[in-house]
Amino acid sequence: MIENVNVFARVRSLSGEESCLQIHHELSRITVNDKAYYLDDVFGETASQEDVFDIVGRPIIDGFIEGINGTIFAYGQTGSGKTYTMLGPDINGTELNNAGIIPQAVDQIFDTLKGKFEQDPVFFKFSMKCTFLEIYNDEIYDLLRNEDIFSKKLEIRVCAGDVKNVEEKDVTSYSECMELLKRGIKKRKNAETAMNSESSRSHAIFMLKLSTEEIEGDNIS
Ligand SMILES: Nc1ncnc2c1ncn2[C@@H]1O[C@H](COP(=O)(O)OP(=O)(O)OP(=O)(O)O)[C@@H](O)[C@H]1O
């Protein structure tokens, strides 16, 4: 069962080095230097991107399509595999191999919505908007703005709980959404760290806002 907050761990391979982490998948336990931690699930070095998405992403996306807000975020030190898990190893490549949580989520969302629409083109309607922000040195930048992002800092509207003047783009398909994602990623600030040759220097937030309308008899929901 999915709780309000679920916590997962994923261990990446260390190219030949010995790891101090041990994974016990059935017990959802990770052991670090003999200290055991129990989480909602744990993924070892052999877990695939699909394995991670099925447990971490799919329930959130199912809820999102039904109108429940959801967030998936990755946390870890530089080089630990956040970008790999969220996006995949080569998000800008022409072939999307080993797609991470975000591309798989976008695919599932449009697949489900288009299926619903094809079943009932008269009574089911949907629209989706996408925003992509980065937080760098405590400032917020819009990754989907056409002009130079360094010139436009944005502000959080605390009362409204959103970001002022952020660009919201309409998306109608998986490929449109992926184009925006790739465009935004190219604008992110990257630099090398000792642990990662292509380290992201900021926190990135990719958001989708979905509106649906279903007509059943006289009821519109
Ligand atoms: N599960 C995995 N399987 C294979 N390779 C992985 C895995 N996780 C990460 N890697 C590889 O490890 C390297 C670092 O991963 P990644 O860039 O995702 O780290 P990160 O946590 O996003 O780092 P940063 O915070 O510095 O941006 C990349 O070359 C990535 O392809």
Side-chain angles (χ1 to χ4, degrees), residues 55-133:
I55 305 283
V56 178
R58 203 173 288 283
I60 303 266
I61 300 307
D62 286 342
F64 170 76
I65 291 165
E66 295 302 317
I68 302 166
N69 290 336
T71 301
I72 302 169
F73 82 90
Y75 177 82
Q77 76 163 65
T78 177
S80 57
K82 302 180 294 294
T83 308
Y84 184 96
T85 296
M86 295 305 284
L87 296 172
D90 186 21
I91 192 76
N92 286 315
T94 40
E95 294 282 317
L96 198 54
N97 292 321
N98 274 326
I101 287 177
I102 294 177
Q104 290 189 75
V106 172
D107 192 38
Q108 187 195 330
I109 291 167
F110 279 107
D111 229 40
T112 311
L113 292 173
K114 290 204 162 157
K116 280 183 164 217
F117 178 73
E118 275 159 23
Q119 262 183 2
D120 205 349
V122 179
F123 295 116
F124 179 78
K125 293 186 174 52
F126 72 90
S127 66
M128 182 103 82
K129 289 184 189 299
C130 153
T131 54
F132 197 8
L133 304 169

